[in-house]
Amino acid sequence: EILENLSLEIMRTKESIENNFSTKINFVYLIGGLTLANGFLDNLSSKLPNLSLNIYNPLDGFIKTEDKIENKKIGSVLVHAIGSCLKFLLS
């Protein structure tokens, strides 16, 4: 199952970072189209009960937006556009 594999990978990465950097991770930000799929965040959260999962909106801090799902969808799509522009500008 995809969610099972993803949750295991998140936990492995979390534990590795915590052990290597002597820090504690309490939350994870997710981004991308799949994070906006109906039930995705709830189902993944149920597999990671000790970790707070949040959807990251790359527009936060740059553009004043309300915390609505429509704005998170726009932000998620813009990540690819911003990344492409930066790659072009920096190459």
Side-chain angles (χ1 to χ4, degrees):
E1 179 178 278
I2 292 172
L3 288 179
E4 190 67 35
N5 291 338
L6 181 58
S7 63
L8 289 173
E9 190 59 39
I10 289 171
M11 286 309 297
R12 274 196 289 262
T13 302
K14 174 189 176 294
E15 290 167 3
S16 175
I17 291 171
E18 287 178 339
N19 292 332
N20 289 320
F21 296 99
S22 300
T23 189
K24 180 79 173 137
I25 296 174
N26 297 315
F27 55 90
V28 171
Y29 286 99
L30 303 169
I31 191 163
L34 185 58
T35 61
L36 302 172
N38 253 353
F40 173 80
L41 201 57
D42 292 334
N43 288 326
L44 187 58
S45 292
S46 71
K47 296 185 180 305
L48 300 164
N50 298 324
L51 200 56
S52 174
L53 301 179
N54 303 290
I55 297 175
Y56 177 71
N57 184 353
L59 299 179
D60 286 349
F62 294 105
I63 301 171
K64 210 65 151 140
T65 61
E66 294 179 39
D67 192 27
K68 291 183 179 177
I69 196 70
E70 292 83 18
N71 293 332
K72 290 182 181 186
K73 286 180 183 176
I74 293 168
S76 182
V77 169
L78 284 179
V79 165
H80 300 290
I82 293 167
S84 296
C85 290
L86 286 174
K87 183 177 179 181
F88 175 77
L89 293 172
L90 298 175
S91 63

PDB file of all heavy atoms in Angstrom, residues 40-69:
ATOM      1  N   PHE A  40      -6.433  12.084   1.840  1.00  0.00           N
ATOM      2  CA  PHE A  40      -5.011  11.734   1.890  1.00  0.00           C
ATOM      3  C   PHE A  40      -4.375  12.099   3.225  1.00  0.00           C
ATOM      4  O   PHE A  40      -3.753  11.263   3.876  1.00  0.00           O
ATOM      5  CB  PHE A  40      -4.240  12.402   0.741  1.00  0.00           C
ATOM      6  CG  PHE A  40      -2.752  12.202   0.837  1.00  0.00           C
ATOM      7  CD1 PHE A  40      -2.178  11.012   0.432  1.00  0.00           C
ATOM      8  CD2 PHE A  40      -1.928  13.198   1.344  1.00  0.00           C
ATOM      9  CE1 PHE A  40      -0.812  10.812   0.534  1.00  0.00           C
ATOM     10  CE2 PHE A  40      -0.567  13.009   1.446  1.00  0.00           C
ATOM     11  CZ  PHE A  40      -0.006  11.816   1.034  1.00  0.00           C
ATOM     12  N   LEU A  41      -4.516  13.364   3.618  1.00  0.00           N
ATOM     13  CA  LEU A  41      -3.887  13.832   4.848  1.00  0.00           C
ATOM     14  C   LEU A  41      -4.419  13.089   6.072  1.00  0.00           C
ATOM     15  O   LEU A  41      -3.638  12.690   6.942  1.00  0.00           O
ATOM     16  CB  LEU A  41      -4.089  15.344   4.995  1.00  0.00           C
ATOM     17  CG  LEU A  41      -3.124  16.080   5.899  1.00  0.00           C
ATOM     18  CD1 LEU A  41      -1.690  15.889   5.460  1.00  0.00           C
ATOM     19  CD2 LEU A  41      -3.460  17.554   5.933  1.00  0.00           C
ATOM     20  N   ASP A  42      -5.717  12.872   6.129  1.00  0.00           N
ATOM     21  CA  ASP A  42      -6.316  12.144   7.257  1.00  0.00           C
ATOM     22  C   ASP A  42      -5.822  10.706   7.331  1.00  0.00           C
ATOM     23  O   ASP A  42      -5.482  10.203   8.402  1.00  0.00           O
ATOM     24  CB  ASP A  42      -7.841  12.158   7.169  1.00  0.00           C
ATOM     25  CG  ASP A  42      -8.420  13.550   7.392  1.00  0.00           C
ATOM     26  OD1 ASP A  42      -7.757  14.361   8.075  1.00  0.00           O
ATOM     27  OD2 ASP A  42      -9.505  13.823   6.879  1.00  0.00           O
ATOM     28  N   ASN A  43      -5.778  10.031   6.174  1.00  0.00           N
ATOM     29  CA  ASN A  43      -5.328   8.637   6.157  1.00  0.00           C
ATOM     30  C   ASN A  43      -3.852   8.513   6.512  1.00  0.00           C
ATOM     31  O   ASN A  43      -3.466   7.614   7.259  1.00  0.00           O
ATOM     32  CB  ASN A  43      -5.595   8.001   4.791  1.00  0.00           C
ATOM     33  CG  ASN A  43      -7.062   7.740   4.552  1.00  0.00           C
ATOM     34  OD1 ASN A  43      -7.801   7.429   5.475  1.00  0.00           O
ATOM     35  ND2 ASN A  43      -7.496   7.892   3.320  1.00  0.00           N
ATOM     36  N   LEU A  44      -3.029   9.408   6.000  1.00  0.00           N
ATOM     37  CA  LEU A  44      -1.608   9.376   6.331  1.00  0.00           C
ATOM     38  C   LEU A  44      -1.390   9.728   7.803  1.00  0.00           C
ATOM     39  O   LEU A  44      -0.583   9.104   8.491  1.00  0.00           O
ATOM     40  CB  LEU A  44      -0.813  10.317   5.419  1.00  0.00           C
ATOM     41  CG  LEU A  44       0.704  10.249   5.548  1.00  0.00           C
ATOM     42  CD1 LEU A  44       1.229   8.842   5.275  1.00  0.00           C
ATOM     43  CD2 LEU A  44       1.361  11.250   4.609  1.00  0.00           C
ATOM     44  N   SER A  45      -2.148  10.704   8.295  1.00  0.00           N
ATOM     45  CA  SER A  45      -2.055  11.093   9.708  1.00  0.00           C
ATOM     46  C   SER A  45      -2.403   9.936  10.634  1.00  0.00           C
ATOM     47  O   SER A  45      -1.801   9.786  11.699  1.00  0.00           O
ATOM     48  CB  SER A  45      -2.978  12.276  10.007  1.00  0.00           C
ATOM     49  OG  SER A  45      -2.516  13.433   9.367  1.00  0.00           O
ATOM     50  N   SER A  46      -3.349   9.121  10.230  1.00  0.00           N
ATOM     51  CA  SER A  46      -3.732   7.979  11.074  1.00  0.00           C
ATOM     52  C   SER A  46      -2.605   6.954  11.181  1.00  0.00           C
ATOM     53  O   SER A  46      -2.518   6.223  12.152  1.00  0.00           O
ATOM     54  CB  SER A  46      -5.004   7.320  10.545  1.00  0.00           C
ATOM     55  OG  SER A  46      -4.750   6.623   9.338  1.00  0.00           O
ATOM     56  N   LYS A  47      -1.724   6.924  10.193  1.00  0.00           N
ATOM     57  CA  LYS A  47      -0.589   6.007  10.222  1.00  0.00           C
ATOM     58  C   LYS A  47       0.604   6.609  10.964  1.00  0.00           C
ATOM     59  O   LYS A  47       1.564   5.913  11.278  1.00  0.00           O
ATOM     60  CB  LYS A  47      -0.191   5.615   8.800  1.00  0.00           C
ATOM     61  CG  LYS A  47      -1.283   4.841   8.088  1.00  0.00           C
ATOM     62  CD  LYS A  47      -0.839   4.360   6.744  1.00  0.00           C
ATOM     63  CE  LYS A  47      -1.917   3.591   6.030  1.00  0.00           C
ATOM     64  NZ  LYS A  47      -2.467   2.475   6.761  1.00  0.00           N
ATOM     65  N   LEU A  48       0.549   7.910  11.231  1.00  0.00           N
ATOM     66  CA  LEU A  48       1.633   8.618  11.924  1.00  0.00           C
ATOM     67  C   LEU A  48       1.042   9.423  13.086  1.00  0.00           C
ATOM     68  O   LEU A  48       1.096  10.654  13.093  1.00  0.00           O
ATOM     69  CB  LEU A  48       2.359   9.563  10.950  1.00  0.00           C
ATOM     70  CG  LEU A  48       3.000   8.893   9.733  1.00  0.00           C
ATOM     71  CD1 LEU A  48       3.324   9.918   8.672  1.00  0.00           C
ATOM     72  CD2 LEU A  48       4.239   8.118  10.145  1.00  0.00           C
ATOM     73  N   PRO A  49       0.477   8.752  14.088  1.00  0.00           N
ATOM     74  CA  PRO A  49      -0.268   9.454  15.138  1.00  0.00           C
ATOM     75  C   PRO A  49       0.562  10.396  16.008  1.00  0.00           C
ATOM     76  O   PRO A  49       0.021  11.321  16.587  1.00  0.00           O
ATOM     77  CB  PRO A  49      -0.862   8.315  15.976  1.00  0.00           C
ATOM     78  CG  PRO A  49       0.022   7.147  15.709  1.00  0.00           C
ATOM     79  CD  PRO A  49       0.522   7.311  14.308  1.00  0.00           C
ATOM     80  N   ASN A  50       1.870  10.199  16.081  1.00  0.00           N
ATOM     81  CA  ASN A  50       2.716  11.050  16.928  1.00  0.00           C
ATOM     82  C   ASN A  50       3.362  12.195  16.166  1.00  0.00           C
ATOM     83  O   ASN A  50       4.270  12.852  16.671  1.00  0.00           O
ATOM     84  CB  ASN A  50       3.801  10.206  17.605  1.00  0.00           C
ATOM     85  CG  ASN A  50       3.201   9.157  18.509  1.00  0.00           C
ATOM     86  OD1 ASN A  50       2.177   9.395  19.150  1.00  0.00           O
ATOM     87  ND2 ASN A  50       3.808   7.996  18.545  1.00  0.00           N
ATOM     88  N   LEU A  51       2.902  12.415  14.948  1.00  0.00           N
ATOM     89  CA  LEU A  51       3.488  13.437  14.090  1.00  0.00           C
ATOM     90  C   LEU A  51       2.383  14.302  13.511  1.00  0.00           C
ATOM     91  O   LEU A  51       1.382  13.790  13.016  1.00  0.00           O
ATOM     92  CB  LEU A  51       4.250  12.735  12.960  1.00  0.00           C
ATOM     93  CG  LEU A  51       5.316  13.468  12.194  1.00  0.00           C
ATOM     94  CD1 LEU A  51       6.391  14.025  13.127  1.00  0.00           C
ATOM     95  CD2 LEU A  51       5.968  12.530  11.197  1.00  0.00           C
ATOM     96  N   SER A  52       2.551  15.601  13.586  1.00  0.00           N
ATOM     97  CA  SER A  52       1.572  16.517  13.007  1.00  0.00           C
ATOM     98  C   SER A  52       1.920  16.746  11.537  1.00  0.00           C
ATOM     99  O   SER A  52       3.031  17.165  11.211  1.00  0.00           O
ATOM    100  CB  SER A  52       1.606  17.843  13.778  1.00  0.00           C
ATOM    101  OG  SER A  52       0.773  18.782  13.156  1.00  0.00           O
ATOM    102  N   LEU A  53       0.985  16.465  10.647  1.00  0.00           N
ATOM    103  CA  LEU A  53       1.197  16.668   9.212  1.00  0.00           C
ATOM    104  C   LEU A  53       0.449  17.908   8.767  1.00  0.00           C
ATOM    105  O   LEU A  53      -0.702  18.110   9.116  1.00  0.00           O
ATOM    106  CB  LEU A  53       0.703  15.456   8.421  1.00  0.00           C
ATOM    107  CG  LEU A  53       1.351  14.118   8.747  1.00  0.00           C
ATOM    108  CD1 LEU A  53       0.728  13.020   7.894  1.00  0.00           C
ATOM    109  CD2 LEU A  53       2.847  14.163   8.530  1.00  0.00           C
ATOM    110  N   ASN A  54       1.125  18.755   7.986  1.00  0.00           N
ATOM    111  CA  ASN A  54       0.534  19.998   7.502  1.00  0.00           C
ATOM    112  C   ASN A  54       0.798  20.134   6.015  1.00  0.00           C
ATOM    113  O   ASN A  54       1.800  19.642   5.502  1.00  0.00           O
ATOM    114  CB  ASN A  54       1.172  21.195   8.216  1.00  0.00           C
ATOM    115  CG  ASN A  54       1.047  21.101   9.703  1.00  0.00           C
ATOM    116  OD1 ASN A  54      -0.026  21.236  10.238  1.00  0.00           O
ATOM    117  ND2 ASN A  54       2.147  20.826  10.390  1.00  0.00           N
ATOM    118  N   ILE A  55      -0.095  20.823   5.327  1.00  0.00           N
ATOM    119  CA  ILE A  55       0.127  21.137   3.913  1.00  0.00           C
ATOM    120  C   ILE A  55       0.882  22.456   3.848  1.00  0.00           C
ATOM    121  O   ILE A  55       0.461  23.452   4.427  1.00  0.00           O
ATOM    122  CB  ILE A  55      -1.204  21.241   3.143  1.00  0.00           C
ATOM    123  CG1 ILE A  55      -1.926  19.910   3.170  1.00  0.00           C
ATOM    124  CG2 ILE A  55      -0.951  21.685   1.704  1.00  0.00           C
ATOM    125  CD1 ILE A  55      -3.300  19.936   2.546  1.00  0.00           C
ATOM    126  N   TYR A  56       2.020  22.456   3.156  1.00  0.00           N
ATOM    127  CA  TYR A  56       2.823  23.662   3.008  1.00  0.00           C
ATOM    128  C   TYR A  56       2.322  24.470   1.825  1.00  0.00           C
ATOM    129  O   TYR A  56       2.107  23.940   0.742  1.00  0.00           O
ATOM    130  CB  TYR A  56       4.295  23.297   2.802  1.00  0.00           C
ATOM    131  CG  TYR A  56       5.170  24.490   2.573  1.00  0.00           C
ATOM    132  CD1 TYR A  56       5.444  25.371   3.603  1.00  0.00           C
ATOM    133  CD2 TYR A  56       5.707  24.754   1.319  1.00  0.00           C
ATOM    134  CE1 TYR A  56       6.246  26.480   3.401  1.00  0.00           C
ATOM    135  CE2 TYR A  56       6.516  25.860   1.109  1.00  0.00           C
ATOM    136  CZ  TYR A  56       6.779  26.710   2.148  1.00  0.00           C
ATOM    137  OH  TYR A  56       7.563  27.813   1.943  1.00  0.00           O
ATOM    138  N   ASN A  57       2.136  25.743   2.042  1.00  0.00           N
ATOM    139  CA  ASN A  57       1.746  26.650   0.971  1.00  0.00           C
ATOM    140  C   ASN A  57       2.913  27.589   0.713  1.00  0.00           C
ATOM    141  O   ASN A  57       3.212  28.452   1.534  1.00  0.00           O
ATOM    142  CB  ASN A  57       0.492  27.443   1.362  1.00  0.00           C
ATOM    143  CG  ASN A  57      -0.002  28.320   0.240  1.00  0.00           C
ATOM    144  OD1 ASN A  57       0.648  28.457  -0.798  1.00  0.00           O
ATOM    145  ND2 ASN A  57      -1.153  28.930   0.429  1.00  0.00           N
ATOM    146  N   PRO A  58       3.599  27.440  -0.424  1.00  0.00           N
ATOM    147  CA  PRO A  58       4.770  28.271  -0.705  1.00  0.00           C
ATOM    148  C   PRO A  58       4.449  29.752  -0.888  1.00  0.00           C
ATOM    149  O   PRO A  58       5.344  30.578  -0.899  1.00  0.00           O
ATOM    150  CB  PRO A  58       5.346  27.669  -1.988  1.00  0.00           C
ATOM    151  CG  PRO A  58       4.193  26.982  -2.622  1.00  0.00           C
ATOM    152  CD  PRO A  58       3.317  26.506  -1.501  1.00  0.00           C
ATOM    153  N   LEU A  59       3.168  30.074  -1.002  1.00  0.00           N
ATOM    154  CA  LEU A  59       2.787  31.479  -1.129  1.00  0.00           C
ATOM    155  C   LEU A  59       2.785  32.194   0.214  1.00  0.00           C
ATOM    156  O   LEU A  59       2.843  33.421   0.259  1.00  0.00           O
ATOM    157  CB  LEU A  59       1.403  31.603  -1.766  1.00  0.00           C
ATOM    158  CG  LEU A  59       1.249  31.038  -3.173  1.00  0.00           C
ATOM    159  CD1 LEU A  59      -0.173  31.210  -3.653  1.00  0.00           C
ATOM    160  CD2 LEU A  59       2.230  31.677  -4.121  1.00  0.00           C
ATOM    161  N   ASP A  60       2.723  31.440   1.319  1.00  0.00           N
ATOM    162  CA  ASP A  60       2.733  32.060   2.647  1.00  0.00           C
ATOM    163  C   ASP A  60       4.006  32.886   2.817  1.00  0.00           C
ATOM    164  O   ASP A  60       5.096  32.420   2.534  1.00  0.00           O
ATOM    165  CB  ASP A  60       2.670  30.999   3.760  1.00  0.00           C
ATOM    166  CG  ASP A  60       1.298  30.393   3.898  1.00  0.00           C
ATOM    167  OD1 ASP A  60       0.355  30.927   3.291  1.00  0.00           O
ATOM    168  OD2 ASP A  60       1.174  29.378   4.606  1.00  0.00           O
ATOM    169  N   GLY A  61       3.847  34.086   3.272  1.00  0.00           N
ATOM    170  CA  GLY A  61       4.984  34.962   3.485  1.00  0.00           C
ATOM    171  C   GLY A  61       5.306  35.829   2.277  1.00  0.00           C
ATOM    172  O   GLY A  61       5.997  36.831   2.401  1.00  0.00           O
ATOM    173  N   PHE A  62       4.847  35.435   1.104  1.00  0.00           N
ATOM    174  CA  PHE A  62       5.090  36.224  -0.102  1.00  0.00           C
ATOM    175  C   PHE A  62       3.837  36.978  -0.524  1.00  0.00           C
ATOM    176  O   PHE A  62       3.888  38.122  -0.909  1.00  0.00           O
ATOM    177  CB  PHE A  62       5.540  35.332  -1.265  1.00  0.00           C
ATOM    178  CG  PHE A  62       6.874  34.711  -1.040  1.00  0.00           C
ATOM    179  CD1 PHE A  62       6.964  33.379  -0.714  1.00  0.00           C
ATOM    180  CD2 PHE A  62       8.035  35.454  -1.137  1.00  0.00           C
ATOM    181  CE1 PHE A  62       8.191  32.785  -0.494  1.00  0.00           C
ATOM    182  CE2 PHE A  62       9.269  34.884  -0.915  1.00  0.00           C
ATOM    183  CZ  PHE A  62       9.352  33.542  -0.596  1.00  0.00           C
ATOM    184  N   ILE A  63       2.723  36.264  -0.467  1.00  0.00           N
ATOM    185  CA  ILE A  63       1.440  36.835  -0.860  1.00  0.00           C
ATOM    186  C   ILE A  63       0.454  36.566   0.260  1.00  0.00           C
ATOM    187  O   ILE A  63       0.363  35.449   0.758  1.00  0.00           O
ATOM    188  CB  ILE A  63       0.921  36.191  -2.170  1.00  0.00           C
ATOM    189  CG1 ILE A  63       1.918  36.409  -3.305  1.00  0.00           C
ATOM    190  CG2 ILE A  63      -0.443  36.738  -2.537  1.00  0.00           C
ATOM    191  CD1 ILE A  63       1.583  35.630  -4.562  1.00  0.00           C
ATOM    192  N   LYS A  64      -0.285  37.584   0.677  1.00  0.00           N
ATOM    193  CA  LYS A  64      -1.284  37.418   1.728  1.00  0.00           C
ATOM    194  C   LYS A  64      -2.437  36.604   1.164  1.00  0.00           C
ATOM    195  O   LYS A  64      -3.119  37.026   0.226  1.00  0.00           O
ATOM    196  CB  LYS A  64      -1.765  38.814   2.120  1.00  0.00           C
ATOM    197  CG  LYS A  64      -2.209  39.036   3.529  1.00  0.00           C
ATOM    198  CD  LYS A  64      -1.128  38.878   4.525  1.00  0.00           C
ATOM    199  CE  LYS A  64      -1.364  39.725   5.737  1.00  0.00           C
ATOM    200  NZ  LYS A  64      -1.002  39.007   6.920  1.00  0.00           N
ATOM    201  N   THR A  65      -2.626  35.385   1.694  1.00  0.00           N
ATOM    202  CA  THR A  65      -3.727  34.541   1.238  1.00  0.00           C
ATOM    203  C   THR A  65      -4.480  33.995   2.444  1.00  0.00           C
ATOM    204  O   THR A  65      -3.924  33.860   3.522  1.00  0.00           O
ATOM    205  CB  THR A  65      -3.222  33.338   0.406  1.00  0.00           C
ATOM    206  OG1 THR A  65      -2.366  32.539   1.214  1.00  0.00           O
ATOM    207  CG2 THR A  65      -2.503  33.779  -0.836  1.00  0.00           C
ATOM    208  N   GLU A  66      -5.733  33.700   2.215  1.00  0.00           N
ATOM    209  CA  GLU A  66      -6.529  33.055   3.260  1.00  0.00           C
ATOM    210  C   GLU A  66      -6.171  31.573   3.283  1.00  0.00           C
ATOM    211  O   GLU A  66      -5.712  31.012   2.292  1.00  0.00           O
ATOM    212  CB  GLU A  66      -8.015  33.226   2.963  1.00  0.00           C
ATOM    213  CG  GLU A  66      -8.495  34.659   3.042  1.00  0.00           C
ATOM    214  CD  GLU A  66      -9.974  34.761   2.704  1.00  0.00           C
ATOM    215  OE1 GLU A  66     -10.754  33.879   3.113  1.00  0.00           O
ATOM    216  OE2 GLU A  66     -10.344  35.717   2.011  1.00  0.00           O
ATOM    217  N   ASP A  67      -6.390  30.935   4.422  1.00  0.00           N
ATOM    218  CA  ASP A  67      -6.081  29.518   4.575  1.00  0.00           C
ATOM    219  C   ASP A  67      -7.222  28.677   4.017  1.00  0.00           C
ATOM    220  O   ASP A  67      -7.935  28.008   4.743  1.00  0.00           O
ATOM    221  CB  ASP A  67      -5.814  29.195   6.042  1.00  0.00           C
ATOM    222  CG  ASP A  67      -5.204  27.815   6.213  1.00  0.00           C
ATOM    223  OD1 ASP A  67      -4.546  27.341   5.269  1.00  0.00           O
ATOM    224  OD2 ASP A  67      -5.396  27.222   7.290  1.00  0.00           O
ATOM    225  N   LYS A  68      -7.380  28.728   2.699  1.00  0.00           N
ATOM    226  CA  LYS A  68      -8.427  27.967   2.017  1.00  0.00           C
ATOM    227  C   LYS A  68      -7.768  26.920   1.131  1.00  0.00           C
ATOM    228  O   LYS A  68      -6.652  27.099   0.661  1.00  0.00           O
ATOM    229  CB  LYS A  68      -9.262  28.884   1.109  1.00  0.00           C
ATOM    230  CG  LYS A  68     -10.132  29.875   1.815  1.00  0.00           C
ATOM    231  CD  LYS A  68     -10.911  30.632   0.773  1.00  0.00           C
ATOM    232  CE  LYS A  68     -11.844  31.641   1.401  1.00  0.00           C
ATOM    233  NZ  LYS A  68     -12.540  32.408   0.375  1.00  0.00           N
ATOM    234  N   ILE A  69      -8.469  25.843   0.880  1.00  0.00           N
ATOM    235  CA  ILE A  69      -7.934  24.770   0.050  1.00  0.00           C
ATOM    236  C   ILE A  69      -7.631  25.274  -1.366  1.00  0.00           C
ATOM    237  O   ILE A  69      -6.669  24.848  -1.987  1.00  0.00           O
ATOM    238  CB  ILE A  69      -8.867  23.533   0.034  1.00  0.00           C
ATOM    239  CG1 ILE A  69      -8.133  22.306  -0.493  1.00  0.00           C
ATOM    240  CG2 ILE A  69     -10.117  23.796  -0.761  1.00  0.00           C
ATOM    241  CD1 ILE A  69      -7.082  21.763   0.420  1.00  0.00           C
TER     242      ILE A  69
END
